[in-house]
Amino acid sequence: MNRTVLSILALGAAGAVAGQTQAPQTAAPQAPAAAAPAQVVSTGAAGPARVGVINVERLIQESALGKEAFARVRKLNDQKKDEADKMAKELRDMEQKLADQGQSLADDKREQLQKTYQERAISYKRFGDDAQRVLEEAQKKELQQLENRVLPVIQQVGKEKGYTLIFNKYSGALVYADEGADITDEVLRRFNTTIAVPEKSEAPAPKPAPKPATTKKPAGN
């Protein structure tokens, strides 16, 4: 059940992050168009189910932890973009040199310049591919950490308010939802005030107690 809810959150969050960053020479990953409903809380009581909706993108973009995650991914994106721009400028300079001086250069000099240009062009393409992969991995890691911390808050609000189902408001599976069913404000307020639920981490193993010091008795005369 939790895995399903996490995937729902990831679909909305990925779209939010993709709108904020763009890797060099490649488009940011897009979230799938549709998502299945996720059962978050079941009251176990008879009667009609109470259904809520949540704006996942808004939760990711406006929460304190979401903004921190955006900032880290954006910083990495800017670093990669600066590197890509520098490499692109070097290629343009070499192209200009070949255009301006290619015919006047000695054959061996011209061939060496062309070879260097081709090597730099390959390196530039490889850098763009690597940068895209690094940014996608960073985005995925940030989203996973954020989801791990916000999911318990959504479940807590759902349980307290008696919701049986909570949908991602802007998933393709949802056609209509009354504004009264939107619990984004409550989840966002709770998430920001409590800074969600701290991630579980393994407690460090206790250090073994130091052995008592032993004194060496002097040899008898």
Side-chain angles (χ1 to χ4, degrees), residues 1-11 36-42 144 147-156 166 200:
M1 180 177 68
N2 287 356
R3 240 5 287 172
T4 304
V5 180
L6 286 177
S7 64
I8 295 295
L9 287 171
L11 293 175
Q39 182 172 349
V40 182
V41 180
S42 176
Q144 185 64 57
E147 290 160 9
N148 290 343
R149 301 184 72 176
V150 73
L151 179 60
V153 178
I154 297 175
Q155 291 178 321
Q156 182 182 36
I166 297 178
K200 294 181 180 180

Side-chain angles (χ1 to χ4, degrees), residues 16-208:
V17 174
Q20 297 290 327
T21 61
Q22 183 177 4
Q25 300 300 310
T26 52
Q30 297 297 319
Q39 182 172 349
V40 182
V41 180
S42 176
T43 62
R50 188 179 184 193
V51 179
V53 296
I54 186 168
N55 185 339
V56 174
E57 290 193 11
R58 183 180 162 217
L59 180 64
I60 300 301
Q61 291 176 333
E62 297 184 15
S63 66
L65 292 179
K67 291 177 181 178
E68 292 176 5
F70 272 132
R72 286 189 291 269
V73 175
R74 189 180 300 113
K75 181 179 179 181
L76 178 61
N77 182 81
D78 291 344
Q79 291 173 347
K80 296 298 182 182
K81 184 177 183 302
D82 288 344
E83 293 181 60
D85 289 346
K86 182 179 179 181
M87 296 175 71
K89 184 180 183 304
E90 291 177 352
L91 283 173
R92 289 194 300 270
D93 290 344
M94 294 182 70
E95 287 177 355
Q96 191 64 45
K97 186 175 181 179
L98 280 168
D100 294 343
Q101 305 175 23
Q103 297 302 320
S104 61
L105 291 174
D107 290 345
D108 58 337
K109 296 290 184 181
R110 183 173 60 254
E111 290 175 2
Q112 181 60 45
L113 185 58
Q114 290 173 337
K115 180 181 179 182
T116 302
Y117 173 82
Q118 292 172 354
E119 291 173 348
R120 297 282 179 86
I122 293 173
S123 296
Y124 178 65
K125 174 64 169 59
R126 186 181 298 117
F127 176 84
D129 294 341
D130 291 343
Q132 177 70 23
R133 176 181 51 79
V134 169
L135 285 169
E136 288 178 356
E137 290 175 354
Q139 173 180 305
K140 181 178 179 181
K141 179 181 178 181
E142 292 289 353
L143 291 177
Q144 185 64 57
Q145 292 176 344
L146 194 59
E147 290 160 9
N148 290 343
R149 301 184 72 176
V150 73
L151 179 60
V153 178
I154 297 175
Q155 291 178 321
Q156 182 182 36
V157 172
K159 184 175 182 180
E160 290 176 1
K161 303 295 183 181
Y163 287 99
T164 307
L165 296 168
I166 297 178
F167 287 80
N168 180 357
K169 187 174 183 179
Y170 294 112
S171 72
L174 187 65
V175 178
Y176 168 79
D178 186 272
E179 287 302 314
D182 192 324
I183 63 170
T184 307
D185 286 338
E186 174 63 19
V187 173
L188 185 59
R189 181 191 64 78
R190 190 86 59 93
F191 191 40
N192 280 334
T193 54
T194 62
I195 312 300
V197 177
E199 294 180 287
K200 294 181 180 180
S201 58
E202 296 182 1
K207 294 181 179 180

